[in-house]
Amino acid sequence: MSKRNFFVITGLAGLVLLIIFMTTAKAFKNWPSETSASWHPQAIKATYVASQLKETDKTHSTLILSYDLENNTDSDYQLDAGPEVLILSKLKADGSLSQQEPIQLSYPVFLPAKQHARLAIEMTERFAWPLEGDPAYIDKLREFVRQRLANVAEFVLFDHASRYEVKLPGAWQELHVGAQTAMAGN
C-alpha cells in the first residue's frame, strides 16, 4: 500500500469517526435530563385531615393518613399510584429522606385547577392486632401508631411526571396531645 492510499484511508476513517462523534454528541445534548427540571414545591399544598388504623389481617395493620390537597396551579392535576410517584418519610433527626418502608397512595386523585381534593396514603406493617376485650386495647393501638411515626417529621410526595413536590405535614404531635387530653377526660 502506498503512502498516498494510506493517508486517504486514514483521512476517510477519521472523517467517519468525526461524523459519528458529532451525531452522538448532538443526540446526548438533546437527551432529556431529569435533573435539569426543578421540582415545584408550591404547586400543590397539603393539610393534614385525619388518621385511621385498620386491621388488614391478624398479623398486619394499615395506617392511613388523609390530607386535603389544594391545587395552586391553572392546570388540572391527576395523581395515580405507579413508578412516577414516590412517597418518602422526612426524618426528624436530620431532615433526611427515607425510603425504608413502603408508603403508597390509597387511591388515585383528580385535582382540578385552583380547587381542593382529598388524598390518603397508607403504610401496612406487621402488628398483632389486640383482642377487643383486652383492657389495654386502645393503648396498644396508640403505641403502634406512636412508634410508627416517632421518627417522622413529615412525608414528601414526589411526582416525577409533573415535577411536583408535595409536603404532607406531620400531625403526630397533635395526635399525641389529643390522645392524652381524651384519656384525661375519661
Side-chain angles (χ1 to χ4, degrees):
M1 175 185 298
S2 70
K3 283 185 176 183
R4 182 174 184 229
N5 287 346
F6 174 75
F7 286 121
V8 169
I9 293 171
T10 305
L12 287 175
L15 183 60
V16 169
L17 287 174
L18 181 62
I19 291 171
I20 290 172
F21 174 74
M22 290 175 62
T23 305
T24 306
K26 185 176 181 182
F28 279 116
K29 183 179 180 184
N30 293 331
W31 189 269
S33 172
E34 294 223 359
T35 58
S36 65
S38 62
W39 291 98
H40 304 287
Q42 304 301 322
I44 309 294
K45 288 290 187 188
T47 307
Y48 172 78
V49 175
S51 299
Q52 181 182 11
L53 185 62
K54 290 180 13 179
E55 180 178 4
T56 308
D57 58 39
K58 294 294 178 194
T59 60
H60 292 88
S61 294
T62 300
L63 176 60
I64 302 168
L65 302 172
S66 299
Y67 293 88
D68 179 57
L69 297 182
E70 178 183 0
N71 186 344
N72 295 317
T73 72
D74 294 324
S75 301
D76 294 343
Y77 178 55
Q78 179 72 37
L79 185 60
D80 294 307
E84 293 293 314
V85 175
L86 185 63
I87 304 170
L88 304 173
S89 303
K90 188 169 193 175
L91 303 179
K92 282 182 184 178
D94 59 3
S96 64
L97 296 171
S98 171
Q99 199 173 337
Q100 284 183 305
E101 67 285 325
I103 305 166
Q104 61 189 20
L105 290 176
S106 295
Y107 46 80
V109 176
F110 175 71
L111 182 55
K114 304 293 184 189
Q115 295 193 36
H116 293 256
R118 186 67 42 97
L119 164 93
I121 61 172
E122 56 186 51
M123 298 147 275
T124 300
E125 297 203 13
R126 293 189 63 75
F127 176 63
W129 199 266
L131 298 173
E132 283 193 48
D134 185 344
Y137 179 81
I138 297 295
D139 292 334
K140 288 179 182 178
L141 298 179
R142 286 183 182 149
E143 182 60 18
F144 171 75
V145 173
R146 189 191 68 72
Q147 285 180 0
R148 172 62 192 84
L149 300 174
N151 297 320
V152 178
E154 66 183 358
F155 294 99
V156 184
L157 182 147
F158 293 96
D159 183 351
H160 288 277
S162 65
R163 303 298 294 170
Y164 288 169
E165 175 184 338
V166 183
K167 293 184 179 186
L168 305 172
W172 342 135
Q173 301 302 337
E174 296 167 22
L175 289 174
H176 186 63
V177 171
Q180 286 181 340
T181 305
M183 298 261 309
N186 289 338

